[in-house]
Amino acid sequence: MNGLQPDTDAGPGCAPDLGPASPARVYDYLLGGKDNYAADRVLVDDLLRLQPHLVDAARENRAFVRRAVRDLAGLGIGQFLDIGCGLPTPRNVHQIAARHAPGARVAYVDNDPIVLAHARALLTHDGGVRVVQADLRKPDELLGLARDGLDLSAPVAVLLASVLHLLADAEDPHGAVAELRGALAPGSALVVSHLATGFSSAAAALYTERCTAPLVPRERHDIARFFGGLRLADPGLVPTTRWRPDGPARPDEHALMYAGVAFA
């Protein structure tokens, strides 16, 4: 995968002494990045045997995020709160937002120290960008820290892209998002992408076993609940491939995730 080989003597499907994989590094490897370890690469290679469209899904999710940020910035939203931002990639949220809304402010939030170190190193010289260590499972604390860089009394776009399926039901992700929604000023937006139950159950179980977070695909109606009473923008909650594609939409099986944008 990506022309990389795991730097381990372990055989296929076996990853002893590598430690657990990390969600951010797994996603980085899926997107063709280099900020990943052997444990992440071995896990991805094993997952691809069970779910061959996983690379496509990661790329389609990233493309959805870019389109959503572009459209929201084009509507005049100049603040973005990217929760579970992961490792920096080409064409990050702040770069897309600034192109369409000059002076846009972005707060990147993650609870992974490695993600934060990379983000701070790469984003130090970008004005209007703040990097925050916080946990989605503690929304009050997260919002308090975000207020240092964002004005939550004005419209803000909250991005929860490919992160909510990393929380188990027992961690009450719907409750956490409800608290975030309650803090949104009128005109704000909530952006969500989430793994659907069509994802291989065997792959989800393998990810949960070998990664530092679980993988919890959910039914479409459970994903829709994250939006609460917010107004979904067209085309609604759809596979990532079908959310305002720039060209012909790829087949749904390349998506693996539902995506939507809603307004307060």
Side-chain angles (χ1 to χ4, degrees):
M1 149 96 192
N2 296 337
L4 299 174
Q5 295 296 323
D7 51 356
T8 175
D9 294 328
C14 180
D17 303 324
L18 296 178
S22 150
R25 297 193 310 260
V26 165
Y27 193 54
D28 174 77
Y29 184 48
L30 286 168
L31 292 174
K34 298 180 180 179
D35 294 309
N36 47 75
Y37 300 155
D40 312 302
R41 299 190 287 271
V42 171
L43 174 57
V44 168
D45 291 342
D46 289 346
L47 289 171
L48 285 169
R49 297 185 184 97
L50 299 169
Q51 184 56 262
H53 290 301
L54 198 53
V55 172
D56 295 327
R59 291 173 178 169
E60 291 295 338
N61 177 69
R62 198 65 199 160
F64 155 70
V65 172
R66 290 168 179 157
R67 295 193 301 270
V69 171
R70 176 198 66 193
D71 288 5
L72 291 171
L75 290 174
I77 293 181
Q79 301 186 107
F80 293 82
L81 178 58
D82 188 357
I83 301 173
C85 59
L87 289 160
T89 66
R91 296 175 62 201
N92 290 290
V93 167
H94 71 284
Q95 295 166 324
I96 300 165
R99 188 175 304 129
H100 299 278
R105 289 184 287 172
V106 177
Y108 289 111
V109 179
D110 212 294
N111 64 353
D112 185 330
I114 293 178
V115 168
L116 297 168
H118 278 267
R120 289 182 179 123
L122 292 175
L123 305 176
T124 299
H125 303 295
D126 286 296
V129 176
R130 178 171 170 76
V131 180
V132 177
Q133 182 169 4
D135 195 317
L136 175 56
R137 291 166 291 193
K138 300 176 181 178
D140 286 343
E141 179 180 313
L142 188 157
L143 289 167
L145 293 168
R147 285 188 177 93
D148 286 343
L150 302 177
D151 178 7
L152 298 187
S153 68
V156 58
V158 176
L159 278 58
L160 292 166
S162 193
V163 64
L164 292 168
H165 52 235
L166 299 176
L167 297 181
D169 289 339
E171 296 174 292
D172 193 19
H174 287 95
V177 177
E179 290 196 45
L180 296 177
R181 288 199 312 268
L184 295 179
S188 295
L190 178 64
V191 179
V192 171
S193 61
H194 194 296
L195 201 63
T197 50
F199 188 80
S200 163
S201 58
L206 181 64
Y207 185 103
T208 300
E209 176 188 345
R210 302 239 301 262
C211 204
T212 57
L215 195 62
V216 188
R218 291 186 170 94
E219 298 281 356
R220 184 180 182 278
H221 66 86
D222 285 325
I223 299 170
R225 287 176 52 209
F226 287 114
F227 294 105
L230 302 185
R231 173 178 54 87
L232 271 168
D234 290 336
L237 183 59
V238 296
T240 52
T241 49
R242 287 199 268 137
W243 199 92
R244 303 184 184 183
D246 292 325
R250 300 185 72 181
D252 289 356
E253 59 264 27
H254 288 244
L256 301 181
M257 298 187 208
Y258 282 110
V261 175
F263 291 93

